[in-house]
Amino acid sequence: MNVPFLDLKAINQGCREQLIEAMTQVLDSGWYIQGKSLEAFEQRFAEYCGTQYCLGVANGLDALTLTLRAWKIMGKLQVGDEVIVPANTYIASILAISENGLVPVLVEPDSQTFNLCPENVKRALTPKTRVLLPVHLYGQLADMPALLDIATEHQLLVLEDSAQAHGAAIAGRKAGGWGDASGFSFYPGKNLGALGDAGAITTSDPALYDVLKALRNYGSHEKYKNIFQGVNSRLDEMQAAILSVKLGLLDSQTAHRQHIAEVYLNNIVCDEITLPTLVRSEQHVWHLFVIRTANREALQRHLADNGVQTLIHYPIPPHKQQAYPGLQHLELPITEEIHEQVLSLPMGPTLTVEEALYVAKVCNSFVSKG
């Protein structure tokens, strides 16, 4: 049996006719930037996340970068302010901080969930701390109630990186609806994926919304009148229409991912593999199913030899990247061990239970070889 890591073609074939209809409507409309398709998606996604506003942007990195920039314009941040972020995140979270002249403060994650650890956040606070940037890694929400308590006590802004957590919730409150703002990616491989690069910002702050609406559009609310030195970061009509179709399928696909994860959790039994820690079922939407093993290279090779495709998210932590020489002195043993041991198993809305059971069987046979 061959089990792909993620079959995007099969996922999109499942809603092919709906996608063609949506794209045809955009094509026939003659309006391709900032039109009715974008407006409709923004309204639906804001409602889905439980926020007042949603702004479509070009990608997830822009969503984070522009939000921090907007807070600078509004006088809430200034160059040199510190942003606390988990050390084991994808590089985009760090890029958004440094792009704005802010200082990323990398803290060790919770060793069980890999998410931002509230206790480590408290230890990292300084007089220059202005923002908490929790990353809902692999699809599981960080401990947002505890993090919001810290933010409230110390008057900090909270920017969620929800790029991997569309629909994840705690007590019914979804990712994107906890912080002062949130950045989403709709990269094709995400749980809610476009057919190209795409992103969005959610917030319930009308002042922030007003600034962001101009920033993404050359700094302009009205054509040829530029109040900020903005950028061109607009979610186009075609991608917005595609995302509206896929948003209608998201909850059922999430339920399937959760079922596949349950199959893995109940059937992978071995001493050499550490399974993910699940806090609450609704809290995790399983963008990725990430295991840990001290023998990653051997296990990945064993799985490949038996037709199972896996990926590594991510092999090099941000503080070891060439792009950030100023961070390379940091000693972050938990983060470094995570990056040396993680391995992502196949996961997606088209993965079958039979395939998941086969993956579990292959994992368990690796253990039997010692």
Side-chain angles (χ1 to χ4, degrees):
M1 181 182 292
N2 289 313
V3 184
F5 178 76
L6 179 68
D7 192 341
L8 286 178
K9 183 177 179 180
I11 291 170
N12 292 318
Q13 285 292 332
C15 54
R16 177 185 173 88
E17 296 306 317
Q18 292 170 273
L19 291 175
I20 290 175
E21 181 181 354
M23 289 188 285
T24 300
Q25 288 177 0
V26 173
L27 179 64
D28 292 344
S29 74
W31 194 288
Y32 308 119
I33 297 290
Q34 291 192 301
K36 292 182 179 179
S37 293
L38 175 62
E39 183 180 337
F41 172 72
E42 288 178 334
Q43 181 178 346
R44 286 187 62 194
F45 195 64
E47 291 173 355
Y48 182 82
C49 295
T51 60
Q52 284 186 264
Y53 308 107
C54 168
L55 298 105
V57 293
N59 53 68
L61 174 56
D62 281 3
L64 298 176
T65 304
L66 291 176
T67 301
L68 292 171
R69 184 173 172 186
W71 281 334
K72 287 173 65 182
I73 289 172
M74 296 167 69
K76 295 188 175 186
L77 296 177
Q78 61 184 3
V79 171
D81 284 344
E82 294 178 352
V83 180
I84 292 179
V85 63
N88 60 314
T89 185
Y90 181 56
I91 196 69
S93 309
I94 314 298
L95 290 171
I97 298 168
S98 59
E99 175 67 18
N100 280 287
L102 305 171
V103 179
V105 177
L106 278 59
V107 300
E108 292 275 52
D110 181 287
S111 60
Q112 298 300 309
T113 66
F114 302 170
N115 276 330
L116 191 59
C117 174
E119 292 306 311
N120 289 343
V121 167
K122 291 177 184 178
R123 285 190 279 269
L125 292 170
T126 77
K128 286 191 172 184
T129 305
R130 294 290 181 271
V131 183
L132 301 185
L133 205 164
V135 181
H136 307 313
L137 201 63
Y138 308 149
Q140 182 162 223
L141 275 181
D143 187 350
M144 293 309 297
L147 292 172
L148 288 187
D149 285 345
I150 296 170
T152 299
E153 180 181 352
H154 297 276
Q155 297 182 311
L156 306 176
L157 295 164
V158 178
L159 173 57
E160 297 173 75
D161 184 337
S162 301
Q164 299 185 8
H166 315 73
I170 297 175
R173 188 173 175 182
K174 290 189 175 73
W178 286 88
D180 297 283
S182 177
F184 284 89
S185 168
F186 304 124
Y187 182 78
K190 302 297 186 184
N191 290 29
L192 179 59
L195 298 187
D197 274 324
I201 302 162
T202 56
T203 185
S204 291
D205 181 348
L208 177 61
Y209 172 76
D210 190 62
V211 174
L212 285 167
K213 197 168 185 180
L215 272 183
R216 71 172 177 182
N217 185 43
Y218 300 98
S220 172
H221 288 124
E222 184 179 346
K223 196 169 184 178
Y224 303 128
K225 293 183 179 181
N226 305 85
I227 55 178
F228 308 120
Q229 295 178 20
V231 300
N232 176 13
S233 181
R234 302 175 299 200
L235 177 62
D236 67 64
E237 287 289 281
M238 195 69 76
Q239 297 298 348
I242 289 165
L243 287 166
S244 285
V245 170
K246 292 195 165 190
L247 182 56
L249 305 172
L250 180 58
D251 285 346
S252 62
Q253 291 182 347
T254 295
H256 183 80
R257 287 174 179 270
Q258 290 171 335
H259 181 54
I260 293 297
E262 188 177 354
V263 172
Y264 280 153
L265 291 170
N266 290 336
N267 289 278
I268 298 176
V269 183
C270 61
D271 295 329
E272 294 191 55
I273 295 175
T274 301
L275 295 171
T277 297
L278 176 62
V279 180
R280 303 178 185 88
S281 59
E282 71 163 350
Q283 194 166 340
H284 209 320
V285 294
W286 300 103
H287 171 58
L288 299 171
F289 190 94
V290 181
I291 61 174
R292 288 178 65 177
T293 176
N295 299 307
R296 181 170 67 188
E297 184 177 337
L299 176 58
Q300 187 172 38
R301 185 168 57 249
H302 171 71
L303 287 162
D305 289 344
N306 286 276
V308 177
Q309 183 185 18
T310 60
L311 294 177
I312 298 172
H313 299 86
Y314 309 96
I316 305 172
H319 71 287
K320 295 297 184 182
Q321 296 286 357
Q322 184 177 344
Y324 286 99
L327 298 177
Q328 292 182 7
H329 70 283
L330 295 175
E331 295 183 6
L332 299 164
I334 296 174
T335 293
E336 290 168 20
E337 184 176 78
I338 287 171
H339 283 260
E340 290 170 359
Q341 294 185 351
V342 291
L343 185 66
S344 301
L345 298 182
M347 172 57 72
T350 60
L351 191 70
T352 67
V353 171
E354 181 185 11
E355 288 172 326
L357 287 170
Y358 176 74
V359 172
K361 179 181 178 181
V362 175
C363 285
N364 293 337
S365 70
F366 171 75
V367 175
S368 69
K369 290 183 176 183

